């Protein structure tokens, strides 16, 4: 019986990848992610993300979807992975507000018996931080302002706790047409406990070529950019220990790691 079971497992050809494709260009993909996409039978994803890796889409069968159809995508990926190599693509990192959790939940529910591999990608906080300089080299918290799946009351508690604990705070999904006040509400919560001089960086379309934009300001002035912020914007709110270096549109944010307290340089 053991031999038969081993043979059955060996004969299975299904495989499911959940791939974080990073900021939005093939150059920012890991080599492992690129290879998985090139060697898959099916590629499934939001049309926006599929377009970002279109140069890797050749002979694979492509299943395009759109926002709000995440459950349908996950179910289709699990179904196809029984007998095919399937890649589910997710923007940024698949674990950071991405598709990894949902895909694994659906796979668990349907008792999928094939290998599942989650491949990491560059997420918005690290992409945006690289544009801004060195703002997150100390402890930080990442908080999504989308209350579609998380109650706003819980988001408020997380914002207050992170601010009081002096974490550098990254805000994801700050604003959409339906949620155009959440960014302002979040900043007002943080302003209650954090010094207004704290540097703040805003990056739109991080590492997406000519569409990338950035702003550097302070906590007491960041709401001047309320109309500029949208769903493609990642916000980094640092602490008074951080500082802004440079000018003329070339500003960088530096957050000391702590070396200055031990060494002379």
């Amino acid at each position: 019986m053991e031999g038969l079971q081993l043979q059955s497992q060996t004969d299975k050809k299904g495989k499911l990848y959940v791939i974080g494709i990073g900021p939005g260009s093939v150059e920012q993909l890991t080599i492992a992610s690129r290879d998985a996409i090139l060697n898959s039978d099916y590629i499934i994803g939001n049309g926006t993300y599929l377009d970002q890796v279109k140069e890797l889409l050749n002979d694979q069968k492509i299943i395009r979807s759109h926002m709000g159809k995440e459950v349908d995508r996950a179910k289709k990926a699990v179904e196809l992975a029984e007998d095919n190599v399937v890649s589910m693509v997710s923007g940024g990192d698949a674990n950071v507000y991405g598709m990894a959790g949902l895909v694994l939940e659906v796979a668990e529910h349907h008792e999928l018996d094939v290998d599942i591999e989650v491949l990491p990608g560059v997420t918005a906080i690290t992409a945006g931080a690289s544009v801004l300089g060195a703002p997150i080299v100390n402890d930080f918290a990442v908080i999504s302002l989308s209350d579609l799946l998380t109650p706003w009351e819980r988001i408020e508690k997380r914002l207050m706790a992170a601010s009081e604990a002096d974490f550098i705070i990254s805000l994801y999904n700050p604003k959409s047409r339906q949620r155009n006040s959440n960014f302002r509400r979040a900043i007002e919560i943080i302003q209650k406990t954090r010094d207004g001089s704290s540097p703040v960086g805003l990056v739109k379309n991080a590492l997406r070529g000519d569409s990338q934009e950035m702003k550097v300001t302070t906590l007491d002035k960041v709401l001047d950019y309320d109309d500029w912020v949208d769903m493609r914007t990642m916000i980094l709110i640092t602490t008074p220990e951080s500082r802004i270096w440079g000018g003329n549109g070339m500003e960088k944010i530096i957050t000391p790691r702590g070396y200055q307290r031990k060494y002379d340089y």
Side-chain angles (χ1 to χ4, degrees), residues 6 14 17 42 44 122 156 187 190 258:
L6 178 62
Y17 292 102
Y42 286 87
I44 302 177
V122 177
E156 283 187 335
I187 293 299
I190 296 169

Side-chain angles (χ1 to χ4, degrees), residues 49-66:
Y49 301 135
L50 290 174
D51 290 342
Q52 292 170 358
V53 293
K54 61 184 178 182
E55 62 194 84
L56 300 179
L57 308 182
N58 300 304
D59 299 327
Q60 311 97 319
K61 298 178 179 69
I62 310 301
I63 299 177
R64 299 175 69 90
S65 183
H66 54 81

Side-chain angles (χ1 to χ4, degrees), residues 116-128:
I116 302 174
E117 187 172 352
V118 180
L119 298 178
V122 177
T123 186
I125 184 173
T126 50

Side-chain angles (χ1 to χ4, degrees), residues 36 109 121 155 173 231:
H109 179 74
I155 295 172
N173 306 316
M231 280 290 285

Side-chain angles (χ1 to χ4, degrees), residues 10 12-13 22 28 47-48 59 62-63 73 99 117-118 125 136 144 149 162 166 187 193 196 210 218 224 234 244 247:
T10 302
K12 289 178 180 175
K13 64 177 182 178
Q28 301 292 341
T48 299
D59 299 327
I62 310 301
I63 299 177
R73 288 204 295 276
M99 289 294 295
E117 187 172 352
V118 180
I125 184 173
I136 59 167
S144 171
L149 300 175
D166 207 32
I187 293 299
T193 56
D210 293 340
T218 56
D224 292 346
M234 190 281 306
I244 298 171

Side-chain angles (χ1 to χ4, degrees), residues 165-178:
D166 207 32
F167 281 107
I168 298 159
I169 302 172
S170 175
L171 301 179
Y172 276 46
N173 306 316
K175 202 173 180 182
S176 68
R177 293 178 183 175
Q178 293 76 29

Side-chain angles (χ1 to χ4, degrees), residues 70-88:
E70 290 82 5
V71 173
D72 292 342
R73 288 204 295 276
K75 291 169 69 174
K76 190 65 175 178
V78 167
E79 174 191 337
L80 290 170
E82 291 279 3
D83 299 298
N84 301 277
V85 179
V86 179
S87 284
M88 166 71 77

Side-chain angles (χ1 to χ4, degrees), residues 40-249:
S40 289
D41 300 310
Y42 286 87
I43 311 293
I44 302 177
N46 184 308
T48 299
Y49 301 135
L50 290 174
D51 290 342
Q52 292 170 358
V53 293
K54 61 184 178 182
E55 62 194 84
L56 300 179
L57 308 182
N58 300 304
D59 299 327
Q60 311 97 319
K61 298 178 179 69
I62 310 301
I63 299 177
R64 299 175 69 90
S65 183
H66 54 81
M67 193 71 70
K69 296 294 184 180
E70 290 82 5
V71 173
D72 292 342
R73 288 204 295 276
K75 291 169 69 174
K76 190 65 175 178
V78 167
E79 174 191 337
L80 290 170
E82 291 279 3
D83 299 298
N84 301 277
V85 179
V86 179
S87 284
M88 166 71 77
V89 299
S90 184
D93 182 273
N95 258 290
V96 184
Y97 310 116
M99 289 294 295
L102 178 57
V103 170
L104 265 67
E105 284 186 86
V106 173
E108 176 189 38
H109 179 74
H110 290 272
E111 298 183 345
L112 181 66
D113 189 22
V114 302
D115 186 28
I116 302 174
E117 187 172 352
V118 180
L119 298 178
V122 177
T123 186
I125 184 173
T126 50
S130 70
V131 174
L132 292 166
I136 59 167
V137 297
N138 223 318
D139 299 332
F140 60 84
V142 181
I143 301 173
S144 171
L145 299 188
S146 173
D147 53 2
L148 182 62
L149 300 175
T150 303
W152 178 254
E153 293 76 16
R154 188 176 301 173
I155 295 172
E156 283 187 335
K157 289 181 180 179
R158 291 171 178 173
L159 288 165
M160 183 61 73
S163 184
E164 289 180 339
D166 207 32
F167 281 107
I168 298 159
I169 302 172
S170 175
L171 301 179
Y172 276 46
N173 306 316
K175 202 173 180 182
S176 68
R177 293 178 183 175
Q178 293 76 29
R179 299 181 290 99
N180 57 17
S181 64
N182 286 8
F183 173 62
R184 177 174 289 275
R185 293 162 72 186
I187 293 299
E188 290 172 348
I189 289 169
I190 296 169
Q191 286 175 332
K192 293 177 182 178
T193 56
R194 186 154 303 187
D195 192 288
S197 66
S198 303
V200 175
L202 306 92
V203 184
K204 185 181 293 186
N205 294 322
L207 302 184
R208 292 184 182 174
D210 293 340
S211 64
Q212 174 182 288
E213 299 179 71
M214 64 170 281
K215 309 288 183 184
V216 174
T217 184
T218 56
L219 183 58
D220 59 4
K221 296 179 180 178
V222 68
L223 288 177
D224 292 346
Y225 299 97
D226 190 18
D227 292 338
W228 185 81
V229 169
D230 60 18
M231 280 290 285
R232 299 167 297 159
T233 310
M234 190 281 306
I235 296 96
L236 273 174
I237 302 164
T238 63
T239 71
E241 191 175 30
S242 302
R243 59 186 181 271
I244 298 171
W245 174 45
N248 299 319

